[in-house]
C-alpha cells in the first residue's frame, strides 16, 4: 500500500476549518504522517494496539488508554474490554448536522485514499430506537481478514459527532436495516 500523507493532512485541515468557528475548537492531526499512522494502527490490530497504548484508566468492564499517536490530536483512545477485544477510536464533536455531514464526507474521502484500493467502503444509515441517527461507512479489506474499520456520523437529538472505529468487528455498531 502506498503511503500518502496528503489526504489525512487535508482531513485534519478541513476538520480544523469546519470546527474552528464553533465552541468545539480546532481539530488537527497528532502525527506527521497520518496515512502511515493509520496503516500502522490497522496493522497493529492483532496485538490489541499495544504499540499505541499510552496511560490507561481501568473501569469495571473496560480499560481506556490514551493513544500515543493520534490521528486527530486529543481525540483518540484505545478501548480494551475484559475479553481482550480492543478498538482504536477517534471522536470529534460538531456544532450542528451541516458541519458533521461535511466532516464525515471529507473524512470518508480521505480515509478511503489512505486505506488504499484493497479496502472497499459500504455506506448505510444508522438507527437508534427506530429513528434515523446518522450514517456509517464500513470498510472491508478484500485481501485478508482484519479489523473492522468504519467511519460514523452520529446524530443523537441535538448532538452531532463523527468518529473513526478500528477494532474487533463484533464491537462495531451495526447499521440500520
Amino acid at each position: 500500500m502506498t503511503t500518502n500523507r496528503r489526504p489525512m493532512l487535508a482531513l485534519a485541515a478541513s476538520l480544523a476549518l469546519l470546527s474552528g468557528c464553533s465552541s468545539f475548537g480546532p481539530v488537527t492531526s497528532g502525527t506527521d504522517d497520518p496515512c502511515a499512522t493509520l496503516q500502522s494502527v490497522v496493522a497493529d490490530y492483532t496485538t490489541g494496539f499495544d504499540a499505541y497504548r499510552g496511560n490507561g484508566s481501568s473501569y469495571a468492564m473496560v480499560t481506556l488508554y490514551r493513544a500515543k499517536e493520534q490521528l486527530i490530536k486529543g481525540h483518540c483512545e484505545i478501548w480494551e474490554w475484559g475479553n481482550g477485544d480492543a478498538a482504536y477510536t477517534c471522536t470529534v464533536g460538531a456544532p450542528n448536522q451541516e458541519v458533521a455531514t461535511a466532516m464525515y464526507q471529507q473524512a470518508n474521502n480521505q480515509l478511503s485514499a489512505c486505506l488504499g484500493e484493497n479496502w472497499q467502503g459500504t455506506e448505510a444509515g444508522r438507527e437508534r430506537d427506530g429513528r434515523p441517527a446518522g450514517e456509517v461507512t464500513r470498510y472491508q479489506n478484500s485481501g485478508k481478514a482484519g479489523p473492522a474499520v468504519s467511519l460514523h456520523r452520529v446524530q443523537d437529538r441535538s448532538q452531532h459527532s463523527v468518529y473513526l472505529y478500528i477494532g474487533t468487528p463484533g464491537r462495531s455498531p451495526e447499521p440500520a436495516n
Side-chain angles (χ1 to χ4, degrees):
M1 183 179 327
T2 304
T3 300
N4 181 354
R5 67 186 221 153
R6 280 191 170 147
M8 286 303 280
L9 290 175
L11 167 62
S14 66
L15 291 175
L17 291 173
L18 291 170
S19 64
C21 61
S22 76
S23 62
F24 291 83
V27 179
T28 60
S29 177
T31 179
D32 291 336
D33 191 342
C35 278
T37 299
L38 173 67
Q39 293 165 6
S40 293
V41 167
V42 168
D44 200 39
Y45 164 72
T46 58
T47 70
F49 310 102
D50 193 50
Y52 293 93
R53 292 181 185 193
N55 295 333
S57 297
S58 294
Y59 300 94
M61 299 183 69
V62 67
T63 300
L64 301 179
Y65 298 92
R66 181 164 176 79
K68 288 181 183 177
E69 287 194 53
Q70 304 224 347
L71 290 169
I72 302 171
K73 188 175 183 178
H75 296 275
C76 302
E77 54 194 10
I78 296 163
W79 291 52
E80 181 184 40
W81 290 271
N83 65 356
D85 289 351
Y88 179 102
T89 66
C90 301
T91 305
V92 178
N96 57 48
Q97 183 174 347
E98 181 181 358
V99 171
T101 299
M103 289 168 59
Y104 173 80
Q105 290 170 345
Q106 180 68 29
N108 237 346
N109 292 338
Q110 306 310 326
L111 184 58
S112 178
C114 284
L115 286 172
E117 61 189 38
N118 287 336
W119 291 81
Q120 301 301 313
T122 304
E123 296 180 11
R126 287 178 48 97
E127 188 175 285
R128 182 177 179 144
D129 298 328
R131 302 176 84 179
E135 55 195 315
V136 59
T137 302
R138 297 179 181 288
Y139 289 90
Q140 187 168 14
N141 186 336
S142 61
K144 61 180 178 179
V149 176
S150 57
L151 184 70
H152 302 253
R153 181 184 62 80
V154 180
Q155 178 179 331
D156 187 17
R157 297 183 193 115
S158 63
Q159 297 179 356
H160 303 272
S161 61
V162 175
Y163 80 91
L164 171 67
Y165 174 92
I166 303 168
T168 304
R171 296 270 182 194
S172 182
E174 292 297 319
N177 292 328

